[in-house]
Amino acid sequence: MSDAATRLHSVRAQIARAAKTARRDPAEITLVAVSKRRSIEEIEALIAAGQRDFGESRVQEAAAKWPVLRAAHAH
C-alpha cells in the first residue's frame, strides 16, 4: 500500500469512528481532499487509492492540473 493509500485509509477509519459515535452512516459523509499546492503525482496517488472528491482554493491552480487529471481518469 502506498503512503497516500495508507494515509487515506487512516482518515477514512477516523471518519467511520466519528460517524459511529455520532450515530451516522459513514457512507453519507463525503471526504473532500484538498489538492491545493499538491503536484499531479501526489493527486494521482490519491486517485489510485480511491479518492474521488477534491477541492482547490484557486481556479488558476485547478485549471493547470485538473484537465490533465480528468482526461487521464475519464471512464
Side-chain angles (χ1 to χ4, degrees), residues 19-35:
K20 183 179 179 181
T21 300
R23 296 184 178 151
R24 291 191 55 196
D25 180 357
E28 295 176 352
I29 299 168
T30 301
L31 173 63
V32 179
V34 178
S35 53

Side-chain angles (χ1 to χ4, degrees), residues 1-25:
M1 189 180 301
S2 73
D3 191 43
T6 300
R7 290 191 321 266
L8 181 59
H9 178 75
S10 175
V11 169
R12 286 184 176 159
Q14 290 174 24
I15 289 170
R17 285 191 299 275
K20 183 179 179 181
T21 300
R23 296 184 178 151
R24 291 191 55 196
D25 180 357

Side-chain angles (χ1 to χ4, degrees), residues 35 39-41 43-44 47 65-74:
S35 53
S39 68
I40 288 176
E41 293 78 17
I43 298 167
E44 286 274 359
I47 292 170
K65 294 186 260 192
W66 285 99
V68 172
L69 288 162
R70 289 188 67 169
H73 295 280

